Amino acid sequence: MKKPSEPHHHGLPAVLRVGEADHQILSAVNRLQYMTAAQVSRLVYPGLHDENRYAQRRLRRLAEAGYLLRLRELPAPRVGSAPHVFTLADRGRQYLAGRGVGLASTYYRPSEEHRKAQDNPFMEHTLAAVDVLVTAECLCREFSVSMPRLLTERQLKRSPLRVQPAGHLDAPRMAVIPDAWFQLTAVGQDTVSIALELDRSTEHQKHWRRKVASLTAWATGPYREAFETDNLTVAVVVPTSARRAQLSDWTCQELDAIGHPELADIFLFNEASPVDTDPFEYFFSLRWYPAGSEDAVSLLDESSSDRELTSPPQDAGAEEQTRPSPEATDFSWALMDDHDEEEVERQVE
């Protein structure tokens, strides 16, 4: 006999058994801020090949129970249905906090999340960054690699470091906020610190070169102390090889113009899809091109130590050019850390 339904509170089920797979989903959404069913399926259910149907059902159940907030659909693709985007909701936050999991963001306003979801360029850009981070997490799950630290763009925006763009003394100070910053450590190798930049072929030369000048001032100034590391790789993910060549050329032009050609090696460009490329191949194969070079390198290998930052000679005004603004000096860390339904449950939990 079917049991009577549980009483509802404010339209939500009073009780939901949160299984291990649900816990993994909630933890992943907490770390990455926004996720689609396709991203959850790649990360949590890599062995399932059901066009994300199981992940969709699991996400829908968590959203109906108030653990996740389901945002509006993205624009429909040419084939298939439009995916929803999910972020952590109140019950999900309470659940994770009650189990000692640090929340990536303590600020939560559902109305603001819905407004942000209406901004197609923002959400598409954000989810493209999440695709790279999911690939990095898959790498850590499948190989002897760890991710000791991760900061998403949302976290970086809390306490941005502001700099005077290198070589542009008349320019206003700029807040340097990568699309994500994370570290990867392979067994027997040094930790590699990565600032992620997602390019969607929308930035013109002037804007990109100003970004390069700002990243240069950031890397040679407040970055090392604020992030407690002496190395940096600016990983630039681009859509095509033509765009890679264009941004690489602009980067070299700007570095030469501002007197920092030696930093060309920290800017690595890659047009490979993080979704369609095997995680090991994505990070360890020769797919990343230093600015100005046609010889690809791997992002993770012994040569990554070549991207250690060295202190350049400073003139009298250099300290003022790169010193964080007062509002950035209190930089704070938000460390992270058609199947039968029951049969699928046993496979993934």
Side-chain angles (χ1 to χ4, degrees):
M1 179 180 294
K2 187 176 182 180
K3 294 181 180 180
S5 59
E6 297 285 353
H8 284 55
H9 178 65
H10 296 303
L12 296 175
V15 176
L16 173 69
R17 185 183 70 83
V18 178
E20 177 58 29
D22 297 312
H23 179 87
Q24 290 183 43
I25 291 173
L26 294 173
S27 297
V29 176
N30 176 46
R31 290 192 305 275
L32 303 179
Q33 311 287 298
Y34 302 100
M35 296 189 77
T36 64
Q39 292 168 336
V40 168
S41 193
R42 282 178 60 211
L43 182 59
V44 184
Y45 313 121
L48 290 181
H49 304 284
D50 64 346
E51 298 180 344
N52 311 315
R53 288 191 294 270
Y54 182 68
Q56 290 167 357
R57 291 197 298 271
R58 205 89 193 208
L59 288 165
R60 183 172 62 248
R61 188 180 73 158
L62 287 167
E64 290 173 350
Y67 288 81
L68 293 175
L69 180 65
R70 180 167 54 190
L71 304 175
R72 78 174 187 86
E73 295 178 342
L74 295 173
R78 293 181 180 177
V79 179
S81 59
H84 280 96
V85 181
F86 296 83
T87 193
L88 204 61
D90 277 332
R91 282 194 174 178
R93 293 167 178 275
Q94 294 166 10
Y95 166 83
L96 291 176
R99 283 152 184 77
V101 178
L103 297 178
S105 175
T106 57
Y107 182 83
Y108 174 64
R109 297 292 185 275
S111 59
E112 292 186 17
E113 297 296 346
H114 283 293
R115 281 199 299 272
K116 282 189 284 189
Q118 297 297 321
D119 185 344
N120 283 342
F122 164 79
M123 190 55 68
E124 290 174 2
H125 188 94
T126 298
L127 292 174
V130 173
D131 278 334
V132 177
L133 297 177
V134 168
T135 299
E137 293 214 356
C138 289
L139 177 76
C140 296
R141 181 191 62 219
E142 299 169 9
F143 300 94
S144 298
V145 179
S146 62
M147 186 189 295
R149 290 156 72 184
L150 165 64
L151 293 169
T152 63
E153 181 185 25
R154 183 174 182 174
Q155 293 167 295
L156 293 166
K157 283 180 176 179
R158 293 184 198 156
S159 303
L161 295 174
R162 298 180 182 275
V163 299
Q164 186 78 36
H168 299 273
L169 298 180
D170 58 339
R173 295 171 67 85
M174 304 287 291
V176 178
I177 307 172
D179 294 318
W181 181 90
F182 60 104
Q183 293 182 314
L184 293 175
T185 306
V187 171
Q189 297 182 13
D190 294 332
T191 296
V192 178
S193 302
I194 301 166
L196 178 65
E197 287 288 341
L198 260 297
D199 174 76
R200 300 179 66 84
S201 296
T202 58
E203 291 186 330
H204 298 296
Q205 179 174 181
K206 180 179 179 180
H207 188 273
W208 176 258
R209 290 183 59 163
R210 184 58 54 88
K211 178 179 286 188
V212 170
S214 299
L215 284 167
T216 297
W218 181 67
T220 58
Y223 166 77
R224 280 172 291 188
E225 181 178 355
F227 287 78
E228 301 175 325
T229 180
D230 62 357
N231 72 85
L232 174 65
T233 296
V234 181
V236 187
V237 178
V238 297
T240 64
S241 58
R243 181 63 169 175
R244 167 173 60 79
Q246 184 179 56
L247 289 189
S248 176
D249 184 53
W250 292 350
T251 300
C252 288
Q253 290 179 36
E254 184 63 21
L255 291 174
D256 288 341
I258 62 179
H260 283 281
E262 78 283 355
L263 292 185
D265 285 345
I266 76 169
F267 290 88
L268 300 186
F269 300 84
N270 183 2
E271 71 269 24
S273 165
V275 176
D276 299 328
T277 307
D278 174 82
F280 187 88
E281 291 291 316
Y282 194 77
F283 287 99
F284 280 94
S285 65
L286 304 180
R287 294 177 179 269
W288 299 84
Y289 292 82
S293 175
E294 290 300 320
D295 296 322
V297 300
S298 58
L299 197 152
L300 295 180
D301 68 358
E302 63 276 4
S303 69
S304 60
S305 60
D306 295 340
R307 297 189 284 275
E308 183 173 329
L309 296 169
T310 56
S311 300
Q314 293 190 344
D315 56 38
E319 181 180 358
E320 176 60 31
Q321 293 171 32
T322 59
R323 182 185 300 139
S325 62
E327 63 268 32
T329 57
D330 58 347
F331 192 94
S332 60
W333 292 110
L335 297 178
M336 303 291 105
D337 235 342
D338 303 318
H339 291 85
D340 178 76
E341 184 80 6
E342 293 184 359
E343 177 61 27
V344 177
E345 292 269 1
R346 287 194 291 271
Q347 292 179 32
V348 300
E349 290 194 348

